[in-house]
Amino acid sequence: MGIGEVAALLGAGMAAGTINTVVGSGTLVTFPTLLAFGYSPVVANVTNTVGLVPGSLSGIHGYRAEIAKFRAVGGRRLLRLVLASLCGATIGALLLFLLPAKAFKAIVPVLIALALVLIVLQPRLSKRVAARRAAREEADGAEAEGAHSGGWGVLLAVFGSGMYGGYFGAAQGVLLMAILGLTYGDHLQVLNGVKNVLACVVNAIAAVVFIIVGALGLGGSQHPSVQWGAALAIAAGALVGGKIGASVGRRLPPRVLRGLIIVVGLVAIASLVL
């Protein structure tokens, strides 16, 4: 690796770490950068996933207060979401070697577009959900079971997002924010912190699967070899970017944060389609 490549990957990692913490879709910065330096798509994918894990951890640390607020309402709901993400990410990472890349990539723009629609409608839909919940609690005289857990629907949605994120990862933050925003009544910044936890779980599990499959040579013709020099350069940048993203993102009002999510989602669709 030359100095130019290291500098470019450091910069890309910093940008990706910042974007991932605030919105998601930092992969759309680092993945093309790796391709530009001649890495094959599969190698770029696994190297990128491994490299972005430290940035996710940095983002979690920056949002620790918001995450604590989510846990305070009910610790089990976060545990359920983490387990759903873990299972989905494991299957998604394995699908990288079982499914043709074109078949899965074809539905990604559709998923992101759906997520953006949900993000736009989220305030109105959340109000309706809250009104129905309040009416039910008033009728029952107590809070209904599962009012804060989200039920099986959100777990299946988070599982699906984890599977998608384990396979490729671009814009999984957009999907997660749409899912969480429609399910929970917490402040958007709190949900952004939870999003960072779930995205970190997905990236970390996928990275472990990629490393193990590569070490054991189980990938066949799609044998994924992590390029550790590039991964470390991205990791160093992402670690700094995660802190920057947490500092900037926590100061954004919900409307601005939602706007950024929509913009990044549109960029993601354009990058995958064009």
Side-chain angles (χ1 to χ4, degrees):
M1 292 178 60
I3 296 178
E5 181 177 346
V6 172
L9 292 176
L10 279 170
M14 184 180 298
T18 302
I19 294 172
N20 278 341
T21 302
V22 177
V23 182
S25 265
T27 289
L28 295 178
V29 177
T30 46
F31 184 73
T33 302
L34 288 167
L35 293 179
F37 282 104
Y39 296 94
S40 70
V42 173
V43 171
N45 189 28
V46 298
T47 300
N48 174 69
T49 299
V50 172
L52 290 179
V53 172
S56 299
L57 293 171
S58 181
I60 289 176
H61 182 265
Y63 269 88
R64 60 192 182 279
E66 286 77 9
I67 296 168
K69 291 180 181 179
F70 187 84
R71 291 183 60 190
V73 176
R76 288 186 177 181
R77 63 177 183 169
L78 180 58
L79 177 60
R80 293 189 185 101
L81 295 174
V82 167
L83 291 176
S85 293
L86 187 153
C87 294
T90 302
I91 295 175
L94 292 174
L95 284 177
L96 180 65
F97 315 111
L98 300 176
L99 293 179
K102 292 182 179 180
F104 195 78
K105 185 178 179 181
I107 69 170
V108 170
V110 178
L111 292 175
I112 299 175
L114 176 60
L116 294 181
V117 172
L118 295 177
I119 286 290
V120 172
L121 297 177
Q122 182 263 325
R124 182 177 302 176
L125 294 177
S126 293
K127 289 181 180 179
R128 292 184 179 180
V129 171
R132 288 198 301 267
R133 179 182 301 168
R136 183 173 63 248
E137 292 175 5
E138 182 178 355
D140 295 343
E143 184 174 342
E145 179 68 23
H148 292 293
S149 67
W152 285 103
V154 66
L155 293 181
L156 289 174
V158 170
F159 172 86
S161 177
M163 187 166 63
Y164 162 64
Y167 184 85
F168 183 49
Q172 66 168 315
V174 175
L175 296 172
L176 284 171
M177 287 300 291
I179 295 168
L180 296 173
L182 289 172
T183 305
Y184 302 108
D186 303 78
H187 192 279
L188 198 64
Q189 292 290 0
V190 172
L191 298 182
N192 201 36
V194 176
K195 177 265 292 181
N196 288 334
V197 172
L198 301 183
C200 181
V201 169
V202 171
N203 284 346
I205 293 301
V208 170
V209 171
F210 293 157
I211 292 171
I212 292 176
V213 171
L216 298 179
L218 301 177
S221 60
Q222 299 190 86
H223 184 271
S225 176
V226 178
Q227 299 300 298
W228 289 103
L232 290 174
I234 291 175
L239 191 63
V240 176
K243 294 295 292 183
I244 295 174
S247 176
V248 173
R250 294 172 72 243
R251 299 174 183 174
L252 294 176
R255 187 170 298 180
V256 174
L257 182 58
R258 188 175 290 110
L260 282 176
I261 294 171
I262 293 171
V263 170
V264 172
L266 291 175
V267 172
I269 293 175
S271 299
L272 293 168
V273 171
L274 299 180

